[in-house]
Protein backbone atom coordinates (compact mmCIF):
# COMPACT_ATOMS: atom_id res chain seq x y z
CA UNK A 1 0.00 0.00 0.00
CA UNK A 2 1.36 3.39 -0.98
CA UNK A 3 1.84 5.88 1.79
CA UNK A 4 0.42 8.61 -0.45
CA UNK A 5 -2.99 8.58 -2.11
CA UNK A 6 -4.02 11.14 -4.68
CA UNK A 7 -7.45 11.79 -6.13
CA UNK A 8 -8.62 11.91 -8.76
CA UNK A 9 -6.16 9.85 -10.81
CA UNK A 10 -7.37 11.47 -14.03
CA UNK A 11 -9.16 14.76 -14.53
CA UNK A 12 -10.48 16.49 -17.63
CA UNK A 13 -11.67 20.08 -17.33
CA UNK A 14 -12.87 22.84 -19.59
CA UNK A 15 -10.69 25.90 -19.85
CA UNK A 16 -11.57 28.34 -17.09
CA UNK A 17 -12.77 25.77 -14.59
CA UNK A 18 -11.64 25.68 -10.97
CA UNK A 19 -9.69 22.49 -10.29
CA UNK A 20 -8.90 20.68 -7.04
CA UNK A 21 -6.50 17.79 -6.60
CA UNK A 22 -6.37 16.04 -3.25
CA UNK A 23 -3.57 14.24 -1.45
CA UNK A 24 -3.78 12.11 1.68
CA UNK A 25 -0.78 10.54 3.33
CA UNK A 26 -0.20 8.16 6.19
CA UNK A 27 3.32 9.04 7.28
CA UNK A 28 4.62 11.70 9.64
CA UNK A 29 6.17 14.48 7.64
CA UNK A 30 7.98 17.76 8.00
CA UNK A 31 6.88 19.25 4.66
CA UNK A 32 5.09 18.45 1.43
CA UNK A 33 5.91 19.17 -2.21
CA UNK A 34 3.52 19.61 -5.07
CA UNK A 35 5.28 18.73 -8.31
CA UNK A 36 4.27 19.25 -11.94
CA UNK A 37 5.40 16.88 -14.67
CA UNK A 38 4.84 17.74 -18.31
CA UNK A 39 4.69 15.09 -21.07
CA UNK A 40 8.38 15.58 -21.85
CA UNK A 41 9.18 14.11 -18.43
CA UNK A 42 10.82 16.95 -16.56
CA UNK A 43 9.49 17.69 -13.07
CA UNK A 44 9.11 21.14 -11.59
CA UNK A 45 8.49 21.87 -7.94
CA UNK A 46 5.42 24.11 -7.59
CA UNK A 47 5.24 24.42 -3.82
CA UNK A 48 6.87 23.22 -0.67
CA UNK A 49 4.74 23.80 2.40
CA UNK A 50 4.61 22.62 5.98
CA UNK A 51 1.51 24.45 7.22
CA UNK A 52 -1.39 26.59 6.09
CA UNK A 53 -1.60 27.84 2.57
CA UNK A 54 0.60 29.13 -0.23
CA UNK A 55 -0.39 30.95 -3.40
CA UNK A 56 1.55 31.42 -6.62
CA UNK A 57 -0.33 33.02 -9.47
CA UNK A 58 -3.36 30.85 -10.24
CA UNK A 59 -2.13 28.01 -8.04
CA UNK A 60 -3.01 27.57 -4.38
CA UNK A 61 -1.78 24.80 -2.11
CA UNK A 62 -3.11 24.02 1.35
CA UNK A 63 -2.08 21.52 3.97
CA UNK A 64 -3.63 20.23 7.18
CA UNK A 65 -0.89 18.44 9.08
CA UNK A 66 -3.26 17.05 11.74
CA UNK A 67 -5.54 15.51 9.12
CA UNK A 68 -2.60 14.48 6.89
CA UNK A 69 -4.19 16.05 3.87
CA UNK A 70 -3.17 18.55 1.24
CA UNK A 71 -4.94 20.07 -1.74
CA UNK A 72 -3.78 21.80 -4.89
CA UNK A 73 -6.18 24.25 -6.49
CA UNK A 74 -5.94 25.79 -9.94
CA UNK A 75 -8.12 28.80 -10.65
CA UNK A 76 -9.12 29.79 -14.20
CA UNK A 77 -7.51 26.65 -15.65
CA UNK A 78 -5.76 26.86 -19.00
CA UNK A 79 -4.67 24.20 -21.53
CA UNK A 80 -1.04 24.84 -20.58
CA UNK A 81 -1.89 23.54 -17.10
CA UNK A 82 -2.29 20.08 -18.66
CA UNK A 83 0.26 17.91 -16.86
CA UNK A 84 0.64 15.30 -14.17
CA UNK A 85 0.57 16.71 -10.65
CA UNK A 86 2.42 14.73 -8.00
CA UNK A 87 2.10 15.05 -4.25
CA UNK A 88 5.34 14.35 -2.38
CA UNK A 89 5.28 14.54 1.40
CA UNK A 90 8.65 14.20 3.07
CA UNK A 91 10.62 14.19 6.22
CA UNK A 92 14.08 15.61 6.15
CA UNK A 93 15.46 12.25 5.08
CA UNK A 94 12.88 10.68 2.88
CA UNK A 95 10.45 11.64 0.16
CA UNK A 96 7.22 9.74 -0.54
CA UNK A 97 5.45 10.09 -3.87
CA UNK A 98 1.90 9.73 -5.07
CA UNK A 99 1.18 8.17 -8.45
CA UNK A 100 0.06 11.54 -9.72
CA UNK A 101 -3.09 13.14 -11.08
CA UNK A 102 -3.19 13.50 -14.84
CA UNK A 103 -4.92 16.76 -15.73
CA UNK A 104 -6.14 17.66 -19.21
CA UNK A 105 -7.61 21.10 -19.76
CA UNK A 106 -9.64 21.38 -22.96
CA UNK A 107 -9.87 24.73 -24.77
CA UNK B 1 16.30 25.61 -17.76
CA UNK B 2 15.91 23.64 -14.55
CA UNK B 3 19.46 23.93 -13.22
CA UNK B 4 19.76 20.16 -13.38
CA UNK B 5 20.80 18.77 -16.75
CA UNK B 6 20.51 15.13 -17.76
CA UNK B 7 21.97 13.44 -20.82
CA UNK B 8 21.00 11.73 -22.96
CA UNK B 9 17.29 12.53 -23.12
CA UNK B 10 16.53 9.23 -24.81
CA UNK B 11 18.47 5.96 -24.84
CA UNK B 12 17.77 2.64 -26.49
CA UNK B 13 20.06 -0.20 -25.54
CA UNK B 14 20.26 -3.94 -25.88
CA UNK B 15 20.49 -6.23 -22.90
CA UNK B 16 24.20 -6.83 -23.44
CA UNK B 17 25.17 -3.18 -23.84
CA UNK B 18 26.93 -0.94 -21.34
CA UNK B 19 25.86 2.69 -21.17
CA UNK B 20 25.93 5.58 -18.72
CA UNK B 21 23.47 8.29 -17.77
CA UNK B 22 24.84 11.65 -16.76
CA UNK B 23 23.47 14.32 -14.46
CA UNK B 24 24.94 17.74 -13.78
CA UNK B 25 23.76 20.50 -11.48
CA UNK B 26 25.04 24.04 -11.12
CA UNK B 27 22.89 25.02 -8.16
CA UNK B 28 25.55 24.56 -5.52
CA UNK B 29 23.63 21.66 -4.01
CA UNK B 30 25.28 18.97 -1.93
CA UNK B 31 22.81 16.11 -2.33
CA UNK B 32 21.99 14.30 -5.56
CA UNK B 33 19.48 11.56 -6.24
CA UNK B 34 18.57 8.98 -8.86
CA UNK B 35 14.89 8.12 -9.22
CA UNK B 36 13.16 5.60 -11.47
CA UNK B 37 9.69 6.33 -12.82
CA UNK B 38 7.76 3.47 -14.40
CA UNK B 39 4.35 3.87 -15.98
CA UNK B 40 1.51 4.31 -13.49
CA UNK B 41 3.86 3.91 -10.52
CA UNK B 42 5.18 6.40 -7.98
CA UNK B 43 8.72 7.65 -8.27
CA UNK B 44 11.13 5.12 -6.78
CA UNK B 45 14.27 6.30 -5.05
CA UNK B 46 17.35 4.42 -6.25
CA UNK B 47 20.40 6.15 -4.84
CA UNK B 48 21.28 9.19 -2.76
CA UNK B 49 24.63 10.94 -2.52
CA UNK B 50 25.27 13.56 0.12
CA UNK B 51 28.57 15.45 -0.13
CA UNK B 52 29.75 12.84 -2.66
CA UNK B 53 29.13 9.97 -0.24
CA UNK B 54 26.46 7.40 -1.01
CA UNK B 55 23.97 7.50 1.84
CA UNK B 56 21.22 5.32 0.41
CA UNK B 57 21.01 2.35 -1.90
CA UNK B 58 17.40 1.36 -2.08
CA UNK B 59 17.89 -2.36 -2.83
CA UNK B 60 18.76 -1.60 -6.41
CA UNK B 61 20.11 -4.49 -8.54
CA UNK B 62 23.84 -4.44 -9.18
CA UNK B 63 23.29 -3.95 -12.90
CA UNK B 64 22.79 -0.28 -11.92
CA UNK B 65 25.99 1.30 -10.62
CA UNK B 66 26.10 4.93 -9.47
CA UNK B 67 29.11 7.19 -9.42
CA UNK B 68 29.46 10.64 -7.89
CA UNK B 69 32.89 12.13 -8.64
CA UNK B 70 31.99 15.53 -7.14
CA UNK B 71 28.97 17.38 -5.77
CA UNK B 72 27.98 18.66 -9.21
CA UNK B 73 28.04 15.41 -11.20
CA UNK B 74 26.26 12.12 -10.89
CA UNK B 75 26.38 9.11 -13.19
CA UNK B 76 24.36 5.94 -13.46
CA UNK B 77 26.25 3.14 -15.18
CA UNK B 78 24.08 0.49 -16.81
CA UNK B 79 25.04 -3.03 -17.84
CA UNK B 80 23.17 -6.21 -18.75
CA UNK B 81 19.81 -4.56 -18.19
CA UNK B 82 16.46 -6.27 -18.54
CA UNK B 83 13.44 -5.09 -20.56
CA UNK B 84 11.61 -4.34 -17.29
CA UNK B 85 14.26 -1.72 -16.56
CA UNK B 86 12.76 0.42 -19.32
CA UNK B 87 11.57 3.58 -17.58
CA UNK B 88 12.19 7.28 -17.11
CA UNK B 89 15.28 7.87 -14.97
CA UNK B 90 15.24 11.18 -13.15
CA UNK B 91 18.09 12.93 -11.42
CA UNK B 92 17.41 15.45 -8.67
CA UNK B 93 19.42 17.60 -6.33
CA UNK B 94 18.79 19.46 -3.11
CA UNK B 95 20.74 21.74 -0.82
CA UNK B 96 21.54 18.84 1.46
CA UNK B 97 19.93 15.59 2.40
CA UNK B 98 17.96 15.87 5.60
CA UNK B 99 17.55 19.62 5.78
CA UNK B 100 14.03 19.96 4.39
CA UNK B 101 15.18 21.69 1.22
CA UNK B 102 13.17 21.25 -2.01
CA UNK B 103 14.14 18.86 -4.79
CA UNK B 104 15.16 20.17 -8.19
CA UNK B 105 14.68 17.65 -10.98
CA UNK B 106 16.25 17.21 -14.37
CA UNK B 107 14.20 16.42 -17.48
CA UNK B 108 14.99 12.74 -17.23
CA UNK B 109 16.40 10.07 -19.53
CA UNK B 110 13.83 7.88 -21.24
CA UNK B 111 15.45 4.43 -21.33
CA UNK B 112 14.25 1.59 -23.51
CA UNK B 113 15.88 -1.83 -23.13
CA UNK B 114 15.36 -4.13 -26.08
Amino acid sequence: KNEVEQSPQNLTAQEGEFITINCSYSVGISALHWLQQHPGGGIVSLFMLSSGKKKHGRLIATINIQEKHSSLHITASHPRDSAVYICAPHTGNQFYFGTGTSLTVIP
Amino acid sequence: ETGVTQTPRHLVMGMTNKKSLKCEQHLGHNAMYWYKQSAKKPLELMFVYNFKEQTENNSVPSRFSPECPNSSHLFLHLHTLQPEDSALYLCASSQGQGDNSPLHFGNGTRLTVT
Side-chain angles (χ1 to χ4, degrees):
Chain A
K1 183 185 182 301
N2 197 15
E3 294 90 350
V4 184
E5 299 289 340
Q6 284 186 238
S7 63
Q9 290 189 359
N10 298 283
L11 181 57
T12 300
Q14 290 288 338
E15 183 174 356
E17 282 187 17
F18 180 83
I19 288 162
T20 296
I21 298 170
N22 294 300
C23 174
S24 296
Y25 52 91
S26 58
V27 292
I29 65 166
S30 52
L32 182 144
H33 269 33
W34 278 101
L35 307 171
Q36 181 191 55
Q37 185 173 30
H38 280 283
I43 294 177
V44 175
S45 177
L46 299 173
F47 294 102
M48 187 179 77
L49 65 166
S50 55
S51 65
K53 175 179 167 179
K54 283 191 175 181
K55 184 174 188 293
H56 182 71
R58 295 180 295 106
L59 302 178
I60 303 166
T62 63
I63 189 168
N64 185 319
I65 292 286
Q66 288 73 28
E67 294 186 3
K68 296 188 175 180
H69 183 269
S70 177
S71 293
L72 177 68
H73 306 285
I74 304 176
T75 61
S77 58
H78 189 276
R80 63 175 175 266
D81 297 326
S82 298
V84 175
Y85 292 84
I86 300 170
C87 171
H90 63 98
T91 66
N93 293 317
Q94 188 165 358
F95 285 78
Y96 304 88
F97 296 92
T99 53
T101 294
S102 179
L103 171 66
T104 302
V105 182
I106 300 170
Chain B
E1 177 59 49
T2 65
V4 180
T5 304
Q6 288 187 244
T7 55
R9 289 297 307 274
H10 300 272
L11 178 62
V12 179
M13 60 186 288
M15 289 190 285
T16 58
N17 291 159
K18 288 185 180 181
K19 297 285 185 184
S20 295
L21 310 185
K22 179 181 176 182
C23 177
E24 189 172 352
Q25 58 92 5
H26 299 287
L27 300 169
H29 290 167
N30 296 307
M32 296 187 77
Y33 310 74
W34 279 118
Y35 285 93
K36 176 183 178 183
Q37 188 180 37
S38 303
K40 305 298 183 186
K41 290 185 178 180
L43 284 160
E44 300 171 53
L45 178 65
M46 299 176 73
F47 301 104
V48 182
Y49 279 82
N50 202 31
F51 291 93
K52 300 189 300 178
E53 298 296 322
Q54 186 175 314
T55 55
E56 283 197 45
N57 175 341
N58 219 23
S59 302
V60 179
S62 60
R63 57 186 183 269
F64 295 92
S65 173
E67 178 190 0
C68 188
N70 54 61
S71 293
S72 298
H73 293 85
L74 185 65
F75 296 89
L76 188 62
H77 304 298
L78 316 171
H79 64 99
T80 58
L81 294 192
Q82 304 298 312
E84 61 264 29
D85 296 321
S86 298
L88 181 69
Y89 289 85
L90 288 154
C91 173
S93 69
S94 67
Q95 191 64 39
Q97 188 195 13
D99 67 353
N100 237 22
S101 59
L103 285 175
H104 295 253
F105 284 88
N107 286 324
T109 295
R110 176 71 63 185
L111 173 67
T112 303
V113 181
T114 60

